Amino acid sequence: MENLKIERHPFTPFLPEGCKVVMCGTFPPKQDKWAMDFFYPNFYNDMWRIFGLIFFDDKDHFFDLTTKTVDKTAIQQMLTANKIGIGETVTQAVRTKDNASDKYLEIMTPVDLPALLAKVPVCSDLVTTGEKAASVIANLTDTEIPKIGENRICKVKMPDGNEREIRHWRMPSTSRAYPMKLEKKMQFYKEMLEEIRII
């Protein structure tokens, strides 16, 4: 990995008060691909289309199709109202190729999971968006990677020495490169949110 730059995740976790679930991916694309300065910033990533469909029955609810931008404020308001947090599974990584693919992402430092969970005391569920993110949480908790749409119960040793139980859900990647129709991806996310009683 000579001459390859170690990058730090550019966003601070968004953790509304009382959040019940935290969704975690890996790494955003490089900044020149951002349509906003928030998680899942690529205009062509389907995360906020999925949430537009679930909460507003409109895949373009958070998008300005003319300027190709995404409404960060509206997204944060929706997340806060529904007690949904957004974080990451990787804090430092190297892109071994000049793109955003998880396939070429070399993880240098995974998330400090106990520290993240300590900030969300009532959170019962952690959702990973894609296989690589799911594998990070599975490794950190010494559990199996769940199948898409399924979950595993994990035990995490917290900073205070106590053990905390959390459900780890694996959802399909929201990248356009992932070969699944938007409506099918949305169904996985919707069913998960229903199970957690967010909707």
Side-chain angles (χ1 to χ4, degrees), residues 1 4-5 7 28-30 93-106:
M1 290 192 298
L4 292 175
K5 180 184 172 187
E7 296 180 48
K30 290 189 172 181
V94 167
R95 301 179 203 271
T96 60
K97 298 216 171 170
D98 193 28
N99 62 40
S101 172
D102 277 356
K103 184 178 178 182
Y104 302 113
L105 193 69
E106 186 75 29

Side-chain angles (χ1 to χ4, degrees), residues 5-194:
K5 180 184 172 187
I6 296 176
E7 296 180 48
R8 188 165 195 85
H9 199 290
F11 305 129
T12 301
F14 181 81
L15 305 171
E17 187 175 349
C19 77
K20 300 175 183 175
V21 56
V22 178
M23 300 202 320
C24 298
T26 49
F27 239 61
K30 290 189 172 181
Q31 194 166 354
D32 62 359
K33 303 286 188 188
W34 295 2
M36 63 172 172
D37 59 341
F38 192 62
F39 292 87
Y40 307 95
N42 190 320
F43 184 82
Y44 297 103
N45 187 287
D46 280 331
M47 178 59 77
W48 306 121
R49 290 180 181 83
I50 287 168
F51 274 76
L53 283 170
I54 291 172
F55 288 101
F56 302 98
D57 199 26
D58 176 10
K59 69 181 176 64
D60 295 321
H61 179 82
F62 298 112
F63 292 81
D64 185 320
L65 302 181
T66 304
T67 59
K68 290 197 171 178
T69 54
V70 191
D71 190 339
K72 174 176 119 174
T73 301
I75 288 168
Q76 291 180 336
Q77 288 171 345
M78 175 273 297
L79 293 171
T80 300
N82 292 285
K83 302 189 185 319
I84 299 170
I86 307 283
E88 79 281 340
T89 60
V90 180
T91 57
Q92 289 185 307
V94 167
R95 301 179 203 271
T96 60
K97 298 216 171 170
D98 193 28
N99 62 40
S101 172
D102 277 356
K103 184 178 178 182
Y104 302 113
L105 193 69
E106 186 75 29
I107 297 169
M108 306 302 291
T109 309
V111 65
D112 183 340
L113 188 56
L116 175 67
L117 292 176
K119 295 174 184 174
V120 285
V122 299
C123 175
S124 57
D125 295 82
L126 190 71
V127 177
T128 48
T129 59
E131 184 176 10
K132 189 125 188 174
S135 72
V136 173
I137 298 304
N139 286 337
L140 290 174
T141 57
D142 195 26
T143 53
E144 286 185 23
I145 300 175
K147 292 179 181 177
I148 291 174
E150 296 184 3
N151 66 76
R152 292 278 182 276
I153 300 296
C154 304
K155 292 184 178 176
V156 180
K157 190 169 184 182
M158 298 300 289
D160 62 6
N162 290 322
E163 206 170 54
R164 181 161 160 193
E165 198 171 89
I166 197 133
R167 270 192 304 188
H168 168 208
W169 295 79
R170 175 186 168 193
M171 292 290 108
S173 169
T174 56
S175 167
R176 287 280 176 94
Y178 188 73
M180 183 183 286
K181 287 186 176 179
L182 174 64
E183 290 74 19
K184 188 170 182 184
K185 289 182 186 182
M186 183 274 292
Q187 197 59 39
F188 276 110
Y189 282 80
K190 184 178 180 183
E191 288 173 6
M192 173 270 296
L193 291 171
E194 287 173 341

